[in-house]
């Protein structure tokens, strides 16, 4: 399972350290320390997956050379006990693919360090732990001095503040959790101490490579001995209370395998005898709840504590449902009719029934519907009615782009659930009896978070309306709270697909939503919308050609290129820019420093925002067109009609917006979609990708991924991405580390 680790330390001469030596080791390279006239060669070191220097605006370009950078740091410090640099180390989720984890680390370093003016040396490592599993993590070496055009200036003392370190620790957890949610992993990390999380275990520090080597050579290591002492004490605590192990295991993921349990016990015990005792005690504990086998045939478990949390959530839902909520009056009915008239087309019968359900039910109402059935449209009419009665309507979703799509489709001001809970914890924006809370994509919300939300609504007397997709109700894992709430209280269903304009496409969407993926792909194939190519690159180029032809035919239409991996998205974005450049549709390129490095942008460019920013009114995934660009400012016309002007230094989380990942576009609607199929996709990804369009979609693939269209259809239909991918992705991390080692 993903773990939280974030530490900071200072590399200082007083301990005999050298910044050049540290940089050479972290990057597995050969560097020469000019001050001491000593070479440091670690080029044979394995397990270094990625290295790069990230420079703030105004920094000398020569610092892109690692040897020049850290020698400048060394020459700039005169004292024999000088502090040379700060090192930040954080664990990366092994559940992510290596490229995703590297992107995750880079985006965080750019946002939190480089934008503050720090020079950062980022290195991503992947060691293999004692349990045989990969331990991906990042080392970030940070210069301590301010940067000027001529080099380093004064030391920035405010970078040493405890408050800033605490901010970084919390920001890393939030950064990781948002990305894990976007990738559909039901795990989370927590930056709080074990004590603050209510976990009665002593924190265990990491045994570093030096201590491990010392132990292996038979020499005692005080650090390693302390680690074993803590593990031994934790093992004794858990032997006295095995239920605490299960509570801890399910704190950040709701189910676990026998292998997950063994890894947890190994970490919190010392020696085989204590391991065997604790492992047996936990397996025999009445607090352990077996759930049966998952899709890969692995037995899965949960804790009775989680079941109790689920029961408490259900009790809160019972109390909410029984609470009366003021019925609509003539005033709100008139407002609803006016909103419907403004839509330009009538609501469908199922939408009308869903509308009546959410308006007339008590303080809890649920709606389930396939993609494209018009759930947000019906909620927009309900919003008008509630607001006419004087209610404040608040929208929320797990991810920023889902919240934006809810707001765009319904007019309900929306934010992330994490943002709501953050405000509540600081006694702000608490729910009252004058509020209606609308939760979109409710099937993605975990048990404990759902319990907290329902209890907060109950305390304030607010109404809660939850909306989700029936495909998300089919997971077998424990802790699918929306499914349990639907089973317990019922829901109004919307099955009439309205997004697609052709009947056969609406039928295909229903097939995708109900797991009949092969039938849906075959239906699109029969309509000439599925094409195979010799290579994936040929498929990419053909998709961009489709996209450009439709763009010329219908300049006002909305379009998006979709792929599963960020690498494929980057290639599609590059091909789209090259195509537009050849057609004379873009202005001159200007280099723009973004959180992911320098990128060329031009007037006429499609851009995507990658970070929620309330002051600008944008979220992760917001799209627009670049209409103005100079040395310091950008002007973007958003797809919702607003125009933003902002300083490039204040907001640099941008990328090209022609293509996007399938996960990023969940909940979005466009006129036409162009989908690149790959081996990474499962049936859920196929459902999302093939249901984004109103008019048409095209699916292309390379025969290096699927030999035939039939194989493509069978593969997508047969694969369902399990929520716990630690072992599967672990093999990916291992392979990447070995490959990197071989190429050195």
């Amino acid at each position: 399972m993903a773990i939280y680790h974030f530490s900071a330390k200072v590399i200082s001469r007083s301990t005999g350290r050298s910044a050049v030596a540290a940089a050479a080791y972290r990057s597995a390279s050969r560097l020469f320390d000019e001050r001491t006239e000593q070479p440091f060669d670690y080029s044979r070191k394995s397990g270094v997956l990625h290295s790069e220097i990230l420079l703030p605006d105004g920094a000398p370009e020569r610092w892109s050379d690692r040897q020049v950078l850290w020698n400048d740091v060394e020459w700039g410090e005169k004292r024999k006990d000088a502090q040379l640099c700060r090192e930040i180390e954080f664990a990366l989720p092994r559940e992510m693919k290596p490229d995703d984890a590297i992107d995750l680390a880079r985006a965080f370093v750019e946002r939190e360090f480089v934008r503050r003016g720090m020079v950062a040396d980022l290195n991503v490592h992947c060691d293999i732990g004692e349990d045989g599993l990969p331990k991906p993590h990042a080392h970030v070496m940070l210069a301590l001095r301010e940067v000027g055009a001529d080099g380093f200036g004064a030391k920035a003392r405010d970078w040493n503040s405890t408050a800033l370190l605490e901010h970084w620790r919390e920001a890393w957890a939030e950064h990781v959790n948002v990305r894990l949610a976007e990738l559909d992993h039901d795990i989370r990390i927590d930056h709080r101490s074990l004590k603050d999380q209510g976990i009665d275990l002593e924190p265990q520090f990491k045994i570093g490579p030096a201590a491990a080597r010392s132990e292996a050579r038979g020499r005692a290591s005080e650090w390693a001995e302390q680690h074993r002492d803590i593990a031994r004490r934790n093992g004794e605590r858990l032997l006295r209370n095995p239920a605490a192990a299960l509570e801890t295991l399910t704190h950040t993921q709701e189910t676990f395998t026998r292998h997950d349990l063994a890894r947890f016990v190994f970490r919190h015990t010392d020696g085989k005898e204590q391991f065997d005792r604790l492992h047996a005690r936990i397996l025999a504990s009445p607090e352990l709840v077996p759930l049966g086998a998952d899709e890969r045939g692995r037995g899965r478990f949960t804790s009775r504590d989680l079941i109790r949390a689920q029961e408490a959530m259900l009790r809160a839902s019972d109390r909410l449902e029984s609470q009366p909520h003021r019925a609509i009056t003539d005033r709100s009915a008139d407002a609803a009719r006016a909103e419907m008239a403004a839509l330009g087309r009538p609501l469908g019968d199922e939408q009308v029934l869903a509308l009546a359900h959410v308006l007339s039910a008590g303080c809890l109402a649920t709606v389930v519907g396939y993609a494209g059935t018009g759930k947000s449209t019906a909620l927009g009419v309900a919003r008008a009615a509630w607001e006419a009665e004087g209610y404040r309507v608040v929208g929320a979703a797990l991810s920023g782009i889902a919240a934006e799509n809810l707001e765009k489709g319904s007019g309900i001001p929306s934010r992330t659930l994490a943002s709501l809970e953050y405000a509540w914890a600081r006694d702000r924006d608490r729910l009252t009896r004058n509020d209606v809370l609308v939760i979109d994509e409710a099937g993605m919300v975990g048990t404990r978070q759902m319990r907290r939300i329902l209890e907060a609504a109950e305390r304030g007397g607010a109404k809660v309306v939850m909306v989700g997709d029936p495909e998300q109700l089919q997971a077998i894992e424990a802790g699918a709270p929306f499914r349990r709430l639907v089973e317990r209280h019922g829901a109004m269903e919307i099955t009439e697909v309205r997004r697609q304009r052709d009947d056969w496409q609406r039928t295909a969407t229903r097939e995708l939503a109900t797991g009949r993926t092969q039938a849906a792909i075959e239906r699109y194939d029969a309509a000439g919308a599925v094409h195979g190519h010799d290579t994936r690159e040929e498929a990419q180029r053909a998709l961009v050609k489709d996209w450009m032809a439709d763009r010329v035919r219908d300049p006002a239409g909305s379009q998006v290129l979709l792929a599963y991996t960020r690498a494929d998205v980057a290639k599609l974005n590059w091909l789209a820019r090259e195509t537009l450049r050849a057609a004379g549709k873009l202005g001159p390129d200007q280099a723009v420093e973004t959180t992911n490095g320098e990128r060329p942008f031009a007037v006429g460019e499609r851009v995507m925002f990658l970070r929620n920013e309330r002051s600008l009114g944008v979220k992760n995934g917001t799209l627009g067109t670049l209409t103005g660009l100079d040395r310091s400012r950008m002007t973007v016309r958003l797809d919702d009609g607003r125009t933003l002007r902002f300083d490039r230094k204040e907001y640099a989380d941008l990328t090209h917006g022609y293509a996007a990942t399938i996960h990023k576009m969940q909940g979005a609607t466009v006129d036409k979609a162009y989908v690149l199929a790959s081996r990474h996709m499962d049936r859920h990804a196929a459902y999302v990708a093939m249901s984004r369009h109103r008019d048409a979609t095209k699916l292309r693939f390379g025969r290096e991924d699927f030999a035939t269209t039939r194989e493509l259809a069978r593969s997508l239909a047969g694969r369902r991405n399990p929520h716990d991918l630690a072992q599967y992705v672990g093999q990916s991390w291992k392979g990447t580390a070995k490959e990197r080692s071989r190429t050195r």
Side-chain angles (χ1 to χ4, degrees):
M1 69 187 77
I3 63 169
Y4 180 87
H5 170 73
F6 189 102
S7 64
K9 62 184 178 183
V10 172
I11 294 176
S12 173
R13 279 194 196 133
S14 63
T15 56
R17 305 289 301 279
S18 158
V20 176
Y25 184 81
R26 304 294 182 268
S27 60
S29 60
R30 186 182 191 280
L31 301 179
F32 183 78
D33 189 331
E34 298 170 357
R35 189 181 66 86
T36 62
E37 298 184 346
Q38 184 177 0
F40 295 96
D41 188 355
Y42 296 101
S43 56
R44 298 177 64 85
K45 173 179 165 58
S46 62
V48 180
L49 306 186
H50 178 81
S51 294
E52 66 176 310
I53 304 292
L54 300 167
L55 300 177
D57 289 344
E61 189 59 35
R62 67 178 186 273
W63 287 347
S64 296
D65 184 319
R66 182 172 281 108
Q67 179 164 289
V68 173
L69 167 65
W70 294 112
N71 272 298
D72 277 7
V73 168
E74 286 283 355
W75 284 120
E77 302 298 339
K78 308 303 181 185
R79 294 168 58 101
K80 63 180 180 181
D81 61 348
Q83 293 185 339
L84 302 170
C85 62
R86 177 178 292 103
E87 182 179 29
I88 304 289
E89 181 182 343
F90 47 81
L92 294 165
R94 62 163 61 96
E95 289 78 6
M96 288 186 181
K97 295 179 177 66
D99 286 347
D100 284 338
I102 290 168
D103 287 347
L104 182 83
R106 181 192 294 114
F108 181 78
V109 170
E110 284 277 6
R111 188 183 78 200
E112 295 294 338
F113 305 137
V114 179
R115 286 180 61 197
R116 294 179 192 273
M118 301 179 187
V119 176
D121 187 349
L122 167 65
N123 295 278
V124 176
H125 293 189
C126 185
D127 304 328
I128 302 301
E130 295 178 352
D131 55 5
L133 290 173
K135 295 168 57 179
H137 59 282
H139 295 269
V140 188
M141 290 177 59
L142 302 168
L144 301 176
R145 292 182 177 272
E146 296 174 346
V147 172
D150 297 327
F152 287 114
K155 283 194 172 178
R157 303 298 178 186
D158 56 329
W159 293 347
N160 295 329
S161 72
T162 302
L164 185 57
L165 177 58
E166 289 303 312
H167 163 77
W168 286 335
R169 289 178 53 80
E170 183 174 353
W172 173 243
E174 181 180 349
H175 183 70
V176 173
N177 288 336
V178 167
R179 187 60 184 148
L180 286 170
E182 289 175 350
L183 295 175
D184 286 350
H185 297 303
D186 70 345
I187 53 177
R188 299 293 179 267
I189 62 173
D190 198 318
H191 71 285
R192 295 173 299 170
S193 67
L194 294 175
K195 181 179 179 181
D196 289 342
Q197 295 176 47
I199 297 173
D200 185 25
L201 289 177
E202 193 173 342
Q204 290 179 232
F205 49 79
K206 186 180 78 170
I207 297 181
R213 288 194 298 269
S214 177
E215 286 286 290
R217 295 171 185 148
R219 297 197 302 270
S221 166
E222 182 180 353
W223 192 252
E225 187 60 38
Q226 289 177 11
H227 181 277
R228 285 199 299 270
D229 287 344
I230 295 172
R232 190 180 306 117
R233 290 195 294 270
N234 280 334
E236 291 302 321
R237 283 191 181 94
L238 294 172
L239 280 166
R240 291 192 295 270
N241 181 19
L246 299 173
E247 292 175 16
T248 306
L249 268 167
T250 57
H251 189 77
T252 53
Q253 65 181 54
E254 297 187 338
T255 71
F256 56 90
T257 64
R258 189 181 291 265
H259 188 67
D260 293 331
L261 174 61
R263 284 161 49 201
F264 175 85
V265 174
F266 180 83
R267 183 184 179 195
H268 293 290
T269 54
D270 179 39
K272 182 177 185 302
E273 189 272 336
Q274 192 180 46
F275 173 93
D276 289 343
R277 287 169 56 208
L278 180 57
H279 192 255
R281 288 284 302 276
I282 294 173
L283 287 175
S285 171
E287 293 293 306
L288 182 71
V289 180
L291 300 171
D294 62 15
E295 294 92 339
R296 297 172 61 191
R298 300 173 304 176
R300 300 198 72 87
F301 304 88
T302 191
S303 69
R304 203 160 296 281
D305 173 71
L306 184 65
I307 301 300
R308 285 191 287 269
Q310 189 175 79
E311 291 170 349
M313 175 202 71
L314 293 174
R315 288 194 297 272
S317 72
D318 291 343
R319 294 190 294 270
L320 266 179
E321 187 186 41
S322 65
Q323 290 180 9
H325 192 259
R326 189 165 70 245
I328 62 172
T329 63
D330 289 342
R331 177 175 54 198
S332 51
D334 290 342
R337 281 191 287 268
E339 185 72 18
M340 283 190 283
L343 293 174
R345 65 171 181 165
L347 295 181
D349 292 342
E350 290 179 331
Q351 286 176 301
V352 171
L353 290 173
L355 174 62
H357 172 63
V358 299
L359 290 177
S360 61
C363 283
L364 180 68
T366 54
V367 176
V368 298
Y370 304 148
T373 54
K375 300 184 292 292
S376 294
T377 302
L379 288 172
V381 177
R383 170 195 52 77
W386 285 320
E387 288 178 345
E389 291 294 330
Y391 289 109
R392 180 183 69 143
V393 187
V394 179
L398 201 62
S399 67
I401 190 60
E404 179 172 277
N405 288 327
L406 172 61
E407 183 167 338
K408 190 182 300 181
S410 66
I412 299 171
S414 303
R415 58 201 294 189
T416 63
L417 288 167
S419 171
L420 270 181
E421 290 201 277
Y422 183 86
W424 295 343
R426 286 151 182 79
D427 202 25
R428 300 196 305 265
D429 296 336
R430 290 190 181 275
L431 297 174
T432 71
R433 62 182 63 257
N434 293 319
D435 293 330
V436 177
L437 175 63
V438 178
I439 304 173
D440 198 14
E441 294 192 3
M444 302 299 294
V445 182
T447 295
R448 291 183 173 93
Q449 187 172 39
M450 185 69 84
R451 172 189 177 179
R452 294 194 300 269
I453 291 164
L454 294 182
E455 289 178 344
E458 181 197 357
R459 285 192 298 270
K463 180 184 180 80
V464 177
V465 176
M466 290 182 286
V467 184
D469 190 319
E471 170 72 354
Q472 295 173 352
L473 306 182
Q474 296 175 7
I476 65 168
E477 289 88 350
F482 185 51
R483 181 185 64 192
R484 294 297 306 273
L485 292 169
V486 169
E487 290 170 350
R488 191 176 188 93
H489 301 292
M492 186 59 62
E493 292 189 4
I494 309 179
T495 60
E496 180 187 357
V497 178
R498 299 171 66 83
R499 178 179 291 157
Q500 285 79 45
R501 295 191 170 106
D502 292 337
D503 286 342
W504 71 268
Q505 292 184 2
R506 291 195 287 267
T507 299
T509 296
R510 286 192 291 271
E511 289 170 340
L512 288 163
T514 54
R516 293 174 289 165
T517 308
Q518 186 167 349
I521 299 298
E522 290 170 352
R523 194 177 299 278
Y524 275 101
D525 184 35
V530 182
H531 302 277
H533 301 266
D534 289 340
T535 66
R536 189 187 297 183
E537 183 174 355
E538 289 180 13
Q540 292 168 338
R541 292 184 178 277
L543 277 178
V544 172
K545 187 176 180 180
D546 294 335
W547 168 83
M548 187 63 183
D550 287 337
R551 181 185 172 102
V552 171
R553 271 193 297 269
D554 182 17
S558 57
Q559 305 145 329
V560 68
L561 294 152
L562 294 172
Y564 191 88
T565 69
R566 292 189 179 188
D568 284 333
V569 166
K571 183 63 179 294
L572 289 170
N573 271 322
W574 181 82
L575 289 170
R577 291 195 83 247
E578 291 298 298
T579 303
L580 289 174
R581 172 73 62 210
K585 301 295 184 181
L586 296 180
D589 276 350
Q590 292 189 42
V592 174
E593 192 65 36
T594 75
T595 51
N596 292 316
E598 190 175 88
R599 299 281 174 86
F601 284 89
V603 171
E605 194 99 75
R606 291 286 289 168
V607 296
M608 178 183 287
F609 293 78
L610 298 176
R611 175 172 57 86
N612 299 350
E613 180 53 63
R614 296 183 68 181
S615 65
L616 292 177
V618 297
K619 295 183 172 65
N620 184 357
T622 297
L623 289 164
T625 301
L626 188 61
T627 59
L629 176 62
D630 58 35
R631 294 182 63 182
S632 60
R633 297 180 68 81
M634 301 181 79
T635 304
V636 178
R637 185 180 65 251
L638 301 183
D639 287 357
D640 63 11
R642 291 180 294 139
T643 296
L644 300 181
R645 294 179 181 84
F646 55 91
D647 192 302
R648 285 162 46 173
K649 291 183 180 180
E650 296 299 321
Y651 192 98
D653 300 83
L654 292 165
T655 191
H656 300 117
Y658 309 103
T661 62
I662 294 168
H663 291 290
K664 181 81 74 177
M665 296 306 290
Q666 185 161 335
T669 301
V670 294
D671 292 326
K672 294 180 180 177
Y674 314 85
V675 183
L676 177 69
S678 68
R679 284 287 180 185
H680 300 88
M681 290 172 63
D682 60 5
R683 66 180 177 88
H684 175 72
Y687 170 37
V688 173
M690 299 295 288
S691 61
R692 298 304 93 206
H693 64 283
R694 296 186 186 93
D695 296 326
T697 192
K698 290 189 178 178
L699 180 68
R700 295 186 182 271
F701 64 93
R703 294 192 182 92
E704 57 196 4
D705 290 315
F706 309 99
T708 64
T709 301
R710 183 177 294 275
E711 182 187 333
L712 163 70
R714 283 200 307 264
S715 178
L716 293 181
R719 293 186 67 237
R720 187 173 188 278
N721 221 358
H723 286 292
D724 185 345
L725 296 176
Q727 290 176 295
Y728 173 76
V729 179
Q731 295 302 317
S732 175
W733 278 103
K734 286 182 183 179
T736 305
K738 289 177 181 176
E739 181 180 349
R740 174 67 181 246
S741 177
R742 285 197 302 269
T743 60
R744 286 195 167 274

